[in-house]
Amino acid sequence: MKLFLCSSNLTKNLCDDLKDLIGTPIDNLKVVFITTASNPTPEEGRSDARSYQLESIEQLKQFPNWEVTELDIEKYEKNNLKDYLASFDVIFMDGGYTGYLMNVLNEYNVPDFLFELLNSNIIYIGSSTGSMIMSKTFTAAEWYPGEEDPKSANISGLGLIDFEIFPHYKDD
């Protein structure tokens, strides 16, 4: 299982680290970029993460021969999601709101099959919330001044790592 957990967008330097992790060239990857975590609207008291996502997608499209497909899980048919995700080399779970994302993943039964996919040589890249969900718990999601996510404290994470990630701890 190969997990590449980041705080934010992939940069050229991070791609060099990704190449080291997977041990092969990272050209010609078929990447699904999952945007679901940013779905809560400003009306729900959330900031707009869509502009950040668009920037992330544009950065991914700059990598050599990557085929990037955007996916909002909530707009996909539940029964076909596993097979669809299995058709990619990389599952890239973007940032947004941790509790919201984990609730959607649970609703779509993603935890039931994600482990199987990741054990079949599909690479997982997490950015911010996409990294946080790999923990057992998300208490760190409550720590963001002005953007606390108290709902996430009562939800279990995927438990693939035994520590919590607090992305964006420092701006640099």
Side-chain angles (χ1 to χ4, degrees):
M1 183 177 312
K2 294 182 179 174
L3 306 176
F4 194 77
L5 307 177
C6 309
S7 179
S8 59
N9 293 336
L10 277 183
T11 62
K12 178 66 176 142
N13 289 341
L14 284 177
C15 277
D16 291 342
D17 292 337
L18 176 62
K19 181 180 174 183
D20 290 343
L21 172 73
I22 64 175
T24 61
I26 58 171
D27 296 339
N28 303 314
L29 292 177
K30 190 174 175 189
V31 179
V32 60
F33 184 77
I34 299 175
T35 61
T36 307
S38 69
N39 284 352
T41 63
E43 294 79 31
E44 294 172 306
R46 308 291 188 157
S47 64
D48 179 21
R50 184 62 181 158
S51 61
Y52 169 79
Q53 268 184 354
L54 293 173
E55 180 183 322
S56 298
I57 292 167
E58 286 308 308
Q59 281 188 323
L60 288 178
K61 289 181 179 179
Q62 294 177 21
F63 294 109
N65 302 316
W66 284 20
E67 180 184 330
V68 180
T69 303
E70 186 176 349
L71 172 66
D72 178 354
I73 291 174
E74 291 182 296
K75 295 178 181 171
Y76 203 82
E77 187 178 327
K78 284 183 189 181
N79 296 335
N80 296 325
L81 185 59
K82 177 183 177 183
D83 291 336
Y84 182 67
L85 292 176
S87 71
F88 292 90
D89 301 310
V90 175
I91 297 173
F92 190 125
M93 193 77 68
D94 198 31
Y97 300 96
T98 310
Y100 185 86
L101 176 60
M102 202 61 221
N103 279 323
V104 171
L105 294 179
N106 285 331
E107 179 184 339
Y108 280 72
N109 302 315
V110 173
D112 295 343
F113 61 78
L114 183 62
F115 307 110
E116 178 185 337
L117 294 179
L118 298 180
N119 281 321
S120 70
N121 291 322
I122 293 176
I123 300 159
Y124 181 91
I125 299 174
S127 174
S128 189
T129 288
S131 295
M132 294 175 79
I133 65 170
M134 289 295 152
S135 300
K136 295 176 184 177
T137 61
F138 313 125
T139 55
E142 298 178 57
W143 302 345
Y144 291 99
E147 291 190 45
E148 299 87 357
D149 190 0
K151 291 181 183 177
S152 65
N154 298 322
I155 301 170
S156 294
L158 296 171
L160 290 177
I161 58 175
D162 62 356
F163 55 91
E164 285 197 48
I165 293 177
F166 183 49
H168 322 298
Y169 171 67
K170 293 183 179 182
D171 289 338
D172 59 351

